Amino acid sequence: MSRYIRLLRIFWGNTLATELEYRAAFWANAGLSLFWLVWAALGAGAYFRFAPSIRGWTYDELLVVLGIFFAINGFRQAVIGPNLARMTEYVRMGTLDFLLTKPVSSQFMVSLRHVGVYNWLDPLLGWGLVLFGLIRRDEPVSWTSVFAFALLTVAGGLVLYSLALAIQCLAVWTIGGEGLDDVVEGIVEAGRFPVQMYRGIFRTVLTFFIPVALLTTVPAEAILGRGSTGVLVVSCSIAALLLFATSRLWVWSLRHYTGASA
Amino acid sequence: MQEPAIKVDELTKHFRVHQREAGLASGVRGFFRRKYADVKAVDGVSFSIQPGEMVGFLGPNGAGKTTTLKCLSGLLHPTSGAASVLGFTPHLRRQEFLRSFTLVMGQRNQLFWDLPAMETFLVNQAIYRIPEKDFRIGLDELVALLELSPYLDKPVRNLSLGERMRAELAAALLHRPRVLFLDEPTLGLDVTAAAAVRRFLTDYNERHQATVLLTSHYMTDVAELTRRVIVIDHGRLRFDGNLTELIDATTPHRIIRITMSEPVDPARLGEFGDVVKTDGVTAVLQVRRNATKETAARMLSELPIEDIAIEEPEIEEVIRRVFAER
């Protein structure tokens, strides 16, 4: 484990050192993120001018969902995206060959090796918005809720990581896999609103088939005091199961890897 | 008898490939109904290599060399047959196995493109868990042998091909692998750079008794580095033995080069062997291998010889003959 932490320190440290040279770009991106956050928050407000709540969600509660969405989207942009984007290159250029001959988890190398630096403030902004929503809502938040929320946020992150890994497995076979990142972006984007706001079949799909609900809705419900032990257990189990299943899938797809030149 | 370092037994690797024909119509047809063909990249190859041996692995493009190396590195699962490297089954990719070999591919690089080579070295130190002291000793040795010190802090993208290849070798050997798979390690290098790499490999092999399996298109590499060669073609083993045996078997002649004090008629020279070329005063002749000595002696007594040299045929020619036979 300590070896992986050390590797992350080298990998991410290198990226940081290179990218932080460009201070202006960093602050410009931070400004842009803030702009999108305010825009999304104000935009969502428009719906609530005519109704105090939509499908059981008030404006303040929606802000909490939006905040979580921003945080998880920042995680996607910082960790998931940069690695997914390079996956195709690994397969096509044969770099994957080198990764696979190293005595280190290949899953670690393909999924966590790279990091983006411009969206690091997004999670902070997101958590800020969550806090803002909770303060506006002005109802007590119990420590149990905070604990459940923390657990469920981690679970949500793991679900997203697993989905991205499953897509990386695809890239091992379909050598031309540009745009894989867009698929993940689409999935996360669906978490911008609580699943209850989607209708019928969409809600079912987003809850059970592509567990978008776990990314934003479920953690939001927990911090709003609407969660239940059952949901907590099921959500964490799904996250663990998905992580396990996609790790196996990764090992399995390497069995069928034929290499770039073959 | 020592346990072999590498043992390959009836190794077979087939690829299922989609057969594509030219043109849009057949492209559309292929989209709906695909025709597949089994390509036998490696087709029942067996050999074994003793610890410390340096073996040349030869064959034309597409012969199955790289596929074999990839099976031995654990990148590919063999379709059938077995491979064992240092007692490990490669495709199980056990950590101890991965720690004990290295794969160098001349046309690919593992160094971080935008960073100095030193960064890759540090990453490999962490990956292979090389203790700081061993790392420093190993690095100093490699830097000295490969004359790398001026390049350590330059971003890899600013290095020349030869400099980069040397840095690649250092990155690949920091963990002191006992088995080296080298796929075209001198590809694209100029004469001096290639010679430096060869010198280094010989040296490394002597110092650490590493087992080396090397593919190369450059016969100088093979002739200088290895005594034994394995030749494969179309996925099948064609020859396994001493380079000199290969030469004996395929080219039953030697070359005699002479310089004479006065011009001699080509027809007269023809009595000694096949005249490859002559300008009257100098000549190159091909003579039967087992008659070389006797012919040379005869030439010395019967012709106005000033200088005479007996040479082996060019190894490129030997290889051409091996593959022309099929």
Side-chain angles (χ1 to χ4, degrees), chain A residues 1 3-4 6-7 10-11 14 18 93-106 109 113 254-262, chain B residues 13 15 66 70 73 75-77 91 93 95 98-99 101 103-105 108-110 112 115 119 122-130 132 168:
Chain A
M1 193 65 196
R3 179 165 58 135
Y4 289 98
R6 185 163 166 210
L7 280 171
I10 301 179
F11 290 149
N14 273 334
T18 332
M93 306 288 291
T95 328
L96 190 57
D97 288 352
F98 282 122
L99 293 184
L100 294 179
T101 54
K102 300 272 188 257
V104 67
S105 155
S106 53
M109 291 296 267
R113 161 84 180 72
L254 288 183
R255 260 198 79 108
H256 299 271
Y257 170 60
T258 52
S261 67
Chain B
K13 178 72 193 177
F15 290 110
T66 304
K70 283 185 172 180
S73 317
L75 292 171
L76 297 177
H77 286 229
H91 69 257
R93 306 187 52 239
Q95 294 257 329
L98 297 173
R99 233 193 290 280
F101 83 99
L103 171 69
V104 176
M105 292 184 276
R108 310 221 177 122
N109 53 299
Q110 64 160 328
F112 303 136
L115 298 170
E119 296 296 334
L122 288 170
V123 166
N124 281 1
Q125 181 195 7
I127 286 179
Y128 289 101
R129 285 188 252 218
I130 309 171
E132 186 61 29
E168 285 283 342

Side-chain angles (χ1 to χ4, degrees), chain A:
Chain A
M1 193 65 196
S2 68
R3 179 165 58 135
Y4 289 98
I5 292 170
R6 185 163 166 210
L7 280 171
L8 274 189
R9 233 184 16 231
I10 301 179
F11 290 149
W12 293 13
N14 273 334
T15 315
L16 263 179
T18 332
E19 299 289 335
L20 286 183
E21 297 270 310
Y22 309 98
R23 264 198 315 192
F26 181 85
W27 288 115
N29 271 280
L32 211 58
S33 291
L34 185 65
F35 169 77
W36 283 119
L37 183 80
V38 172
W39 182 262
L42 292 178
Y47 303 119
F48 291 90
R49 290 188 51 191
F50 311 104
S53 80
I54 300 172
R55 293 197 170 236
W57 292 81
T58 65
Y59 179 54
D60 304 331
E61 291 164 355
L62 185 71
L63 288 183
V64 172
V65 175
L66 213 51
I68 301 173
F69 162 76
F70 249 80
I72 209 134
N73 199 35
F75 168 63
R76 174 187 74 77
Q77 284 169 306
V79 180
I80 310 256
N83 288 290
L84 260 182
R86 280 174 179 87
M87 188 61 202
T88 325
E89 184 191 312
Y90 289 156
V91 177
R92 195 181 300 157
M93 306 288 291
T95 328
L96 190 57
D97 288 352
F98 282 122
L99 293 184
L100 294 179
T101 54
K102 300 272 188 257
V104 67
S105 155
S106 53
Q107 181 188 325
F108 167 82
M109 291 296 267
V110 299
S111 61
L112 295 171
R113 161 84 180 72
H114 293 279
V115 70
V117 291
Y118 294 138
N119 300 92
W120 282 27
L121 286 183
D122 284 25
L124 284 183
L125 290 173
W127 301 137
L129 188 61
V130 170
L131 201 63
F132 180 68
L134 289 175
I135 291 168
R136 269 184 54 122
R137 181 167 173 258
D138 198 24
E139 275 179 44
V141 177
S142 72
W143 282 111
T144 348
S145 301
V146 174
F147 177 68
F149 168 73
L151 265 186
L152 286 165
T153 308
V154 173
L158 288 181
V159 166
L160 186 62
Y161 171 83
S162 308
L163 290 175
L165 185 62
I167 289 170
Q168 281 185 303
C169 294
L170 277 180
V172 173
W173 308 309
T174 59
I175 287 171
E178 244 106 54
L180 292 176
D181 186 29
D182 299 339
V183 178
V184 181
E185 186 179 355
I187 292 171
V188 175
E189 200 60 43
R192 187 182 275 271
F193 298 105
V195 282
Q196 288 84 351
M197 291 195 178
Y198 294 94
R199 308 178 73 158
I201 182 80
F202 282 117
R203 193 186 332 169
T204 316
V205 168
L206 293 180
T207 311
F208 297 106
F209 291 99
I210 312 167
V212 171
L214 292 186
L215 300 185
T216 54
T217 314
V218 173
E221 282 172 335
I223 194 93
L224 296 170
R226 295 188 205 148
S228 71
T229 321
V231 171
L232 181 71
V233 171
V234 169
S235 302
C236 291
S237 308
I238 290 177
L241 202 71
L242 266 179
L243 186 64
F244 175 75
T246 47
S247 300
R248 299 306 306 166
L249 183 68
W250 173 251
V251 173
W252 185 80
S253 45
L254 288 183
R255 260 198 79 108
H256 299 271
Y257 170 60
T258 52
S261 67

Side-chain angles (χ1 to χ4, degrees), chain B residues 226-237:
Chain B
T226 69
R227 231 166 313 177
R228 175 179 164 201
V229 291
I230 294 174
V231 180
I232 67 167
D233 187 23
H234 288 288
R236 304 196 70 101
L237 195 85

Side-chain angles (χ1 to χ4, degrees), chain B residues 135-151:
Chain B
F135 175 73
R136 285 293 150 198
I137 295 173
L139 185 65
D140 287 348
E141 182 190 306
L142 290 167
V143 166
L145 284 174
L146 290 161
E147 293 162 27
L148 274 178
S149 47
Y151 317 116

